[in-house]
């Protein structure tokens, strides 16, 4: 009976170490690059995440996009730059997910800078915004992964996808 308890304990410990660990160890960083979806053009983004706890990351991101708008029978070119910070909770340990997967959700706060021609009379303006996101990563190996994120607010009104590189 004692050996059965030891075997069960070893299996539980081994399972805990092979599943459910955060994809990013505490103190480590990862770089994210890709494209997004929005109602105003196709943004490209560059971001970094830093693991501050076993299941928590904080990060920053910069995105840029340009688009053309037909307003009162004239075409205007706009540029939008956004700088934001985010915080995410990673569900890997709770859901006992395999190490190749990373499921997370969180909030972001950013500042959007609209740049429009001087003669444009529309209503676009710069400003502060709060948003939320739900995302997942699939790691192809120990250093590179694919990411997909859905959210609202700030630069991305639908989602984004790209690559993640563990640093």
């Amino acid at each position: 009976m004692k050996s059965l308890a030891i075997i069960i304990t070893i299996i539980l410990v081994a399972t805990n170490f092979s599943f459910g660990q955060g994809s990013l160890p505490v103190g480590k960083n990862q770089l994210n690059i890709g494209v997004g979806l929005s109602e105003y053009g196709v943004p490209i983004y560059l971001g970094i995440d830093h693991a501050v706890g076993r299941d928590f990351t904080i990060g920053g991101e910069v995105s840029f996009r340009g688009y053309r708008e037909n307003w009162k029978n004239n075409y205007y070119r706009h540029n939008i730059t956004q700088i934001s910070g985010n915080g995410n909770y990673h569900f890997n340990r709770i859901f006992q997910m395999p190490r190749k997967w990373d499921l997370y959700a969180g909030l972001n706060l950013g500042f959007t800078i609209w740049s429009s021609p001087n003669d444009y009379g529309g209503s676009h303006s710069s400003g502060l915004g709060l948003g939320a996101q739900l995302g997942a990563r699939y790691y192809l190996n120990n250093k590179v992964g694919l990411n997909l994120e859905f959210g609202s607010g700030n630069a991305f009104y639908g989602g984004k996808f790209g690559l993640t590189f563990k640093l």
Side-chain angles (χ1 to χ4, degrees):
M1 188 68 155
K2 187 177 181 181
S3 61
L4 179 60
I6 291 172
I7 291 172
I8 291 172
T9 302
I10 290 171
I11 290 171
L12 289 174
V13 169
T15 301
N16 191 37
F17 283 109
S18 63
F19 293 98
Q21 294 199 10
S23 295
L24 192 61
V26 175
K28 297 293 184 174
N29 299 308
Q30 62 190 13
L31 183 70
N32 304 297
I33 62 170
V35 296
L37 305 171
S38 98
E39 60 186 295
Y40 302 108
V42 178
I44 57 171
Y45 69 92
L46 174 68
I48 191 161
D49 296 319
H50 177 75
V52 294
R54 187 171 179 187
D55 299 322
F56 296 96
T57 57
I58 59 171
E61 185 172 281
V62 111
S63 69
F64 175 81
R65 62 197 144 142
Y67 76 99
R68 255 176 72 159
E69 178 184 26
N70 182 357
W71 187 73
K72 293 189 176 181
N73 295 322
N74 290 312
Y75 285 95
Y76 294 93
R77 177 92 179 136
H78 305 280
N79 293 317
I80 305 167
T81 304
Q82 198 216 6
I83 302 165
S84 64
N86 64 63
N88 287 304
Y89 179 80
H90 298 260
F91 296 97
N92 299 25
R93 188 167 48 96
I94 288 176
F95 294 151
Q96 296 186 350
M97 297 175 64
R99 293 179 66 107
K100 287 186 174 267
W101 287 96
D102 178 22
L103 178 65
Y104 61 92
L107 298 174
N108 59 73
L109 178 66
F111 190 78
T112 303
I113 303 162
W114 287 78
S115 175
S116 299
N118 290 334
D119 60 339
Y120 176 71
S123 62
H124 300 308
S125 63
S126 300
L128 193 63
L130 178 65
Q133 66 273 349
L134 172 66
R137 291 184 182 88
Y138 177 77
Y139 289 97
L140 303 170
N141 57 42
N142 289 333
K143 294 287 185 184
V144 179
L146 304 172
N147 64 52
L148 177 64
E149 186 174 293
F150 298 99
S152 64
N154 289 321
F156 304 101
Y157 298 99
K160 59 185 177 179
F161 57 95
L163 296 172
T164 296
F165 302 95
K166 289 184 180 178
L167 305 177

